[in-house]
């Protein structure tokens, strides 16, 4: 089974910009992995922010965006707010339709 | 807006079977070509995909759990279910149901302990 890797932790200043990445042990991440990004705050269920690399839900704040960057999926937060402090998980789909979650990134806004 | 709610025992004994149900409201599980998922999260750890099933019948399981897991749909009740056999303490987790990967239930904690 593939391993999906994320930065364990990142820190961003309020108002700053940060990019979280999501890599695959099998090689470059492509749109064919249909990358998803989820935000999870303590005691709450995950909330989907980005699907299919860069598509947003109606509830996704405009400051979040998804892309492919350097062979990885990327989630960029531009203009970080204190309420963005959370755990972020990516999800990649592989052949055989088996999805794999990344280990998560703990984002601190400080 | 579709809503999902997990239900089931919060405590299961080792070696027994964990059974959970997800009740869907706001949308028929028979409408649209969506898949219906189960995901879990051990305390303090990351997310793990367990299984999903299409209304058309295609079913996919996490290879590490495949021998112990069954997912099923009950369209008459607008529910879908998870069965996990021969549980151990390692199966203690918050279990989430979801439509696709986009709409999630609030999760239910299942503890495996004697």
């Amino acid at each position: 089974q593939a391993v999906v890797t994320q930065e364990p932790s990142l820190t961003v200043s309020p108002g700053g910009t940060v990019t979280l990445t999501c890599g695959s042990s099998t090689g470059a991440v492509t749109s064919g992995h249909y990358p998803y990004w989820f935000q999870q705050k303590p005691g709450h269920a995950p909330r989907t922010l980005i699907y299919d690399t860069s598509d947003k839900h109606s509830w996704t704040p405009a400051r979040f965006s998804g892309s492919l960057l350097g062979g990885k999926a990327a989630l960029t937060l531009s203009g970080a707010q204190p309420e963005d402090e959370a755990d972020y998980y990516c999800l990649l789909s592989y052949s055989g339709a088996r999805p794999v979650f990344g280990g998560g990134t703990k984002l601190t806004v400080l | 807006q579709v809503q999902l709610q997990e239900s089931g025992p919060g405590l299961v004994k080792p070696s027994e079977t964990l059974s959970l149900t997800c009740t869907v409201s706001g949308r028929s599980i028979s409408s649209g070509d969506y898949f219906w998922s189960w995901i879990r999260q051990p305390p303090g750890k990351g997310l793990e995909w367990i299984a999903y099933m299409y209304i058309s019948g295609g079913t996919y399981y996490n290879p590490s759990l495949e021998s112990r897991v069954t997912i099923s749909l009950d369209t008459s009740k607008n529910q879908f279910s998870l069965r996990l056999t021969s549980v151990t303490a390692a199966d203690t987790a918050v279990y989430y149901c979801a439509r696709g990967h986009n709409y999630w239930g609030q999760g239910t904690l299942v503890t495996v302990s004697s």
Side-chain angles (χ1 to χ4, degrees), chain A residues 2-3 22-30 33 70-72 92 94:
Chain A
V3 176
C22 177
S24 173
S25 62
T26 62
V29 176
T30 70
H33 289 97
K72 296 182 179 182
L92 301 178
Y94 291 87

Side-chain angles (χ1 to χ4, degrees), chain A residues 88-104:
Chain A
Y88 292 83
Y89 293 91
C90 67
L91 177 75
L92 301 178
S93 293
Y94 291 87
S95 61
R98 267 73 171 177
V100 180
F101 283 98

Side-chain angles (χ1 to χ4, degrees), chain A residues 35-58:
Chain A
Y36 276 71
W37 289 95
F38 307 90
Q39 178 191 64
Q40 187 179 34
K41 296 183 179 180
H44 288 82
R47 177 176 74 148
T48 308
L49 294 177
I50 301 289
Y51 62 98
D52 293 352
T53 304
S54 58
D55 290 339
K56 298 181 185 183
H57 283 290
S58 57

Side-chain angles (χ1 to χ4, degrees), chain B residues 38-87:
Chain B
W38 286 99
I39 302 104
R40 70 181 183 180
Q41 185 172 35
K45 297 188 178 181
L47 299 167
E48 180 181 34
W49 167 72
I50 301 171
Y52 66 81
M53 183 173 186
Y54 283 91
I55 191 65
S56 58
T59 304
Y60 301 88
Y61 295 109
N62 185 320
S64 68
L65 298 170
E66 189 163 10
S67 63
R68 299 193 291 131
V69 173
T70 304
I71 185 173
S72 59
L73 300 178
D74 186 338
T75 55
S76 67
K77 295 181 179 179
N78 222 40
Q79 295 175 335
F80 62 105
S81 298
L82 174 75
R83 289 184 76 247
L84 180 65
T85 62
S86 305
V87 298

